[in-house]
């Protein structure tokens, strides 16, 4: 009875376990982020990784998702970011043929490389967005907001 | 049971006000709050189920990431990235549904994305935490800017003055008077309130009864009464700021936001069709549906160009 009732204590415990497991920035997100510091409106993408600590973790492969998402990707930015993180498996040009081998590589680059610590730096204004516990901090100080 | 108290935003700096009455509160109550948020609302679930496979979207004000695992009938078919200002809630969102999620620490008033990068955006129960009409409008503009100008879709939910009958919440009557009073004017006006969150002190807390919402019954979105049974140590009360929307106010806000961005409001056939040969495209946003569900107003939007 008491155990069942104590959902509050349970959730506190649960959350501290999760905090340890908390994951990372992946290239799918990196491909969508851009610098938004005051006045920084051009050449503000893609952000450059700095001191990136990476971890590889398996993710569920979904070929249909990848095929649908492909047109939304900024391809050169993805290829460049992957190379920065030590993965040169993607071709410089998006291939016409989306065979399984290519989709597996794309899957790995987009969803299985996690940047846990480090930062992302704007190529234009050099603003630094820290990554801590795998969560990128995109908040700006009040005077930096555009 | 704690009551909803009317308040007025008496601060020169709305950011400071929200820091104290919204952000600090969520960071403090995160685990407890999260334990009450697990049931997706039907219209939001339906919206996420209707997205084509391969869609990528953003959840602005994701909280504990309740919506990141959806659609449940096609897990992994779409990818929703969560953004929130509460780092403690994000740490939970990160593993929503026990799968690695992508989350970003950010503010719904900012725009840390490539313009139009997303196929869809949702902002659920978040924009009502912004303390001025101007800030709420900017938040709607951020939603519109995040999604693709040719096909992007969005769903926004905010808290309503009109509360569910099932709600145990006590809405101050002056809110009703306020509403009646403004019904004659053309601007729908909501009500600023504090909603207390009662947090039992973990060490001494001894909740006696099983929490009601575990029964899976439909309930109101923000169970402020949870933990009120806790004995011994006096529970800590956090007052969260909300702007409760009046009928029509959300759609007006969308109209204002769209207008300022130079977007035509309506479907692709509305307004004057420009002469052919004009090089620049016309951009618009359509209200696909709007309504009231479980004490909230919602609006679904679709962007278009011609
Ligand atoms: C009532 S919760 C809703 C969470 C989630 N959307 C859901 O429906 O379960 C409101 C959320 O908005 C977030 N929030 C409030 N103001 C914000 C802001 N200016 N920027 C980003 N997030 C904000 C809070 O941290 C909190 O997670
Ligand atoms: Zn920049």
């Amino acid at each position: 009875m008491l155990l069942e009732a104590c959902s509050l204590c349970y959730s506190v415990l649960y959350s501290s376990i999760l905090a340890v497991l908390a994951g990372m920035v992946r290239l799918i997100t990196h491909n969508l982020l851009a610098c938004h510091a005051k006045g920084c409106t051009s050449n503000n993408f893609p952000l450059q990784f700095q001191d990136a600590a990476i971890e590889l973790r398996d993710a569920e492969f979904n070929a249909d998702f990848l095929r649908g998402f492909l047109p939304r990707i900024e391809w050169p930015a993805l290829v460049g970011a992957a190379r920065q993180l030590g993965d040169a498996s993607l071709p410089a040009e998006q291939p016409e043929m989306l065979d399984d081998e290519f989709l597996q590589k794309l899957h790995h680059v987009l969803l299985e490389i996690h940047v846990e610590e480090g930062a992302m730096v704007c190529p234009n204004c050099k603003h630094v967005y820290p990554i801590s516990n795998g969560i990128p901090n995109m908040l700006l100080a009040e005077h930096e907001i555009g | 049971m704690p009551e909803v108290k009317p308040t007025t935003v008496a601060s020169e700096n709305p950011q400071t006000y929200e820091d104290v009455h919204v952000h600090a509160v969520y960071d403090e109550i995160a685990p407890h709050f999260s334990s009450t948020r697990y049931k997706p609302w039907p219209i939001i679930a339906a919206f996420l189920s209707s997205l084509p496979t391969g869609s990528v979207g953003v959840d602005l004000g994701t909280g504990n990431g309740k919506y990141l695992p959806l659609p449940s009938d096609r897990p992994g078919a779409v990818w929703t990235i969560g953004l929130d200002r509460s780092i403690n809630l994000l740490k939970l969102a990160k593993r929503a549904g026990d799968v690695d999620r992508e989350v970003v620490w950010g503010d719904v008033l900012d725009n840390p994305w490539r313009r139009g990068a997303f196929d869809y955006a949702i902002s659920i129960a978040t924009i009502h935490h912004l303390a001025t009409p101007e800030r709420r409008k900017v938040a709607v503009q951020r939603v519109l800017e995040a999604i693709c100008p040719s096909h992007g879709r969005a769903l926004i939910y905010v808290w309503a003055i009109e509360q569910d009958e099932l709600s145990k919440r006590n809405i101050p009557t002056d809110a009703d008077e306020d509403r009646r009073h403004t019904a004659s004017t053309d601007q729908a006006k909501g009500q600023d309130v504090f909603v207390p969150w009662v947090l039992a002190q973990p060490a001494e807390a001894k909740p006696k009864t099983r929490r009601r919402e575990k029964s899976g019954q439909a309930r109101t979105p923000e169970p402020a009464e949870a933990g009120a049974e806790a004995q011994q140590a006096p529970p800590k009360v956090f007052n969260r700021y909300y702007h409760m929307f009046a009928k029509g106010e959300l759609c007006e806000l969308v109209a204002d936001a769209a207008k300022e961005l130079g977007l035509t409001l309506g479907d692709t056939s509305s307004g004057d069709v420009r002469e052919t040969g004009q090089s620049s495209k016309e951009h618009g946003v359509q209200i696909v549906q709007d309504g009231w569900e479980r004490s909230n107003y919602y609006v679904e939007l679709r962007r278009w160009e011609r």
Side-chain angles (χ1 to χ4, degrees), chain B residues 264-275:
Chain B
T264 305
L265 189 70
D267 61 22
T268 39
S269 62
S270 55
D272 310 315
V273 178
R274 291 192 199 169
E275 296 187 2

PDB file of all heavy atoms in Angstrom, chain B residues 264-275:
ATOM      1  N   THR B 264      -0.458  36.127 -45.516  1.00  0.00           N
ATOM      2  CA  THR B 264      -1.893  36.238 -45.740  1.00  0.00           C
ATOM      3  C   THR B 264      -2.603  35.204 -44.883  1.00  0.00           C
ATOM      4  O   THR B 264      -2.202  34.040 -44.857  1.00  0.00           O
ATOM      5  CB  THR B 264      -2.213  35.952 -47.222  1.00  0.00           C
ATOM      6  OG1 THR B 264      -1.428  36.835 -48.021  1.00  0.00           O
ATOM      7  CG2 THR B 264      -3.693  36.178 -47.520  1.00  0.00           C
ATOM      8  N   LEU B 265      -3.646  35.619 -44.177  1.00  0.00           N
ATOM      9  CA  LEU B 265      -4.390  34.681 -43.342  1.00  0.00           C
ATOM     10  C   LEU B 265      -5.571  34.132 -44.125  1.00  0.00           C
ATOM     11  O   LEU B 265      -6.389  34.876 -44.639  1.00  0.00           O
ATOM     12  CB  LEU B 265      -4.874  35.381 -42.075  1.00  0.00           C
ATOM     13  CG  LEU B 265      -5.479  34.483 -40.998  1.00  0.00           C
ATOM     14  CD1 LEU B 265      -4.428  33.613 -40.351  1.00  0.00           C
ATOM     15  CD2 LEU B 265      -6.196  35.308 -39.947  1.00  0.00           C
ATOM     16  N   GLY B 266      -5.626  32.813 -44.237  1.00  0.00           N
ATOM     17  CA  GLY B 266      -6.718  32.173 -44.962  1.00  0.00           C
ATOM     18  C   GLY B 266      -6.188  31.014 -45.766  1.00  0.00           C
ATOM     19  O   GLY B 266      -5.016  30.670 -45.650  1.00  0.00           O
ATOM     20  N   ASP B 267      -7.069  30.386 -46.582  1.00  0.00           N
ATOM     21  CA  ASP B 267      -6.565  29.284 -47.399  1.00  0.00           C
ATOM     22  C   ASP B 267      -5.956  29.844 -48.677  1.00  0.00           C
ATOM     23  O   ASP B 267      -5.934  31.051 -48.891  1.00  0.00           O
ATOM     24  CB  ASP B 267      -7.648  28.236 -47.668  1.00  0.00           C
ATOM     25  CG  ASP B 267      -8.824  28.815 -48.415  1.00  0.00           C
ATOM     26  OD1 ASP B 267      -8.645  29.862 -49.076  1.00  0.00           O
ATOM     27  OD2 ASP B 267      -9.922  28.253 -48.331  1.00  0.00           O
ATOM     28  N   THR B 268      -5.460  28.958 -49.526  1.00  0.00           N
ATOM     29  CA  THR B 268      -4.702  29.419 -50.695  1.00  0.00           C
ATOM     30  C   THR B 268      -5.540  30.239 -51.666  1.00  0.00           C
ATOM     31  O   THR B 268      -5.007  30.907 -52.540  1.00  0.00           O
ATOM     32  CB  THR B 268      -4.097  28.229 -51.471  1.00  0.00           C
ATOM     33  OG1 THR B 268      -5.044  27.175 -51.481  1.00  0.00           O
ATOM     34  CG2 THR B 268      -2.815  27.761 -50.839  1.00  0.00           C
ATOM     35  N   SER B 269      -6.863  30.202 -51.493  1.00  0.00           N
ATOM     36  CA  SER B 269      -7.679  30.959 -52.444  1.00  0.00           C
ATOM     37  C   SER B 269      -8.092  32.324 -51.887  1.00  0.00           C
ATOM     38  O   SER B 269      -8.797  33.070 -52.540  1.00  0.00           O
ATOM     39  CB  SER B 269      -8.931  30.140 -52.788  1.00  0.00           C
ATOM     40  OG  SER B 269      -9.684  29.935 -51.608  1.00  0.00           O
ATOM     41  N   SER B 270      -7.642  32.622 -50.670  1.00  0.00           N
ATOM     42  CA  SER B 270      -8.124  33.869 -50.066  1.00  0.00           C
ATOM     43  C   SER B 270      -7.316  35.086 -50.514  1.00  0.00           C
ATOM     44  O   SER B 270      -6.193  34.966 -50.993  1.00  0.00           O
ATOM     45  CB  SER B 270      -8.088  33.748 -48.539  1.00  0.00           C
ATOM     46  OG  SER B 270      -6.805  33.400 -48.127  1.00  0.00           O
ATOM     47  N   GLY B 271      -7.923  36.230 -50.341  1.00  0.00           N
ATOM     48  CA  GLY B 271      -7.265  37.484 -50.683  1.00  0.00           C
ATOM     49  C   GLY B 271      -7.213  37.689 -52.186  1.00  0.00           C
ATOM     50  O   GLY B 271      -7.809  36.950 -52.962  1.00  0.00           O
ATOM     51  N   ASP B 272      -6.500  38.706 -52.574  1.00  0.00           N
ATOM     52  CA  ASP B 272      -6.371  38.981 -54.004  1.00  0.00           C
ATOM     53  C   ASP B 272      -5.236  38.155 -54.555  1.00  0.00           C
ATOM     54  O   ASP B 272      -4.121  38.225 -54.072  1.00  0.00           O
ATOM     55  CB  ASP B 272      -6.040  40.462 -54.240  1.00  0.00           C
ATOM     56  CG  ASP B 272      -6.991  41.348 -53.470  1.00  0.00           C
ATOM     57  OD1 ASP B 272      -8.197  41.067 -53.500  1.00  0.00           O
ATOM     58  OD2 ASP B 272      -6.515  42.310 -52.836  1.00  0.00           O
ATOM     59  N   VAL B 273      -5.561  37.382 -55.551  1.00  0.00           N
ATOM     60  CA  VAL B 273      -4.492  36.638 -56.206  1.00  0.00           C
ATOM     61  C   VAL B 273      -3.665  37.648 -57.001  1.00  0.00           C
ATOM     62  O   VAL B 273      -4.199  38.470 -57.729  1.00  0.00           O
ATOM     63  CB  VAL B 273      -5.069  35.550 -57.134  1.00  0.00           C
ATOM     64  CG1 VAL B 273      -3.943  34.821 -57.850  1.00  0.00           C
ATOM     65  CG2 VAL B 273      -5.923  34.584 -56.340  1.00  0.00           C
ATOM     66  N   ARG B 274      -2.350  37.576 -56.788  1.00  0.00           N
ATOM     67  CA  ARG B 274      -1.503  38.548 -57.481  1.00  0.00           C
ATOM     68  C   ARG B 274      -1.430  38.246 -58.966  1.00  0.00           C
ATOM     69  O   ARG B 274      -1.667  37.137 -59.410  1.00  0.00           O
ATOM     70  CB  ARG B 274      -0.095  38.488 -56.880  1.00  0.00           C
ATOM     71  CG  ARG B 274      -0.088  39.026 -55.485  1.00  0.00           C
ATOM     72  CD  ARG B 274       1.339  39.231 -55.051  1.00  0.00           C
ATOM     73  NE  ARG B 274       1.399  39.302 -53.606  1.00  0.00           N
ATOM     74  CZ  ARG B 274       2.532  39.266 -52.925  1.00  0.00           C
ATOM     75  NH1 ARG B 274       3.686  39.140 -53.562  1.00  0.00           N
ATOM     76  NH2 ARG B 274       2.527  39.358 -51.626  1.00  0.00           N
ATOM     77  N   GLU B 275      -1.065  39.259 -59.703  1.00  0.00           N
ATOM     78  CA  GLU B 275      -0.979  39.078 -61.140  1.00  0.00           C
ATOM     79  C   GLU B 275       0.131  38.106 -61.482  1.00  0.00           C
ATOM     80  O   GLU B 275       1.156  38.086 -60.829  1.00  0.00           O
ATOM     81  CB  GLU B 275      -0.724  40.427 -61.813  1.00  0.00           C
ATOM     82  CG  GLU B 275      -1.897  41.335 -61.565  1.00  0.00           C
ATOM     83  CD  GLU B 275      -1.807  42.628 -62.334  1.00  0.00           C
ATOM     84  OE1 GLU B 275      -0.836  42.794 -63.094  1.00  0.00           O
ATOM     85  OE2 GLU B 275      -2.703  43.451 -62.155  1.00  0.00           O
TER      86      GLU B 275
END
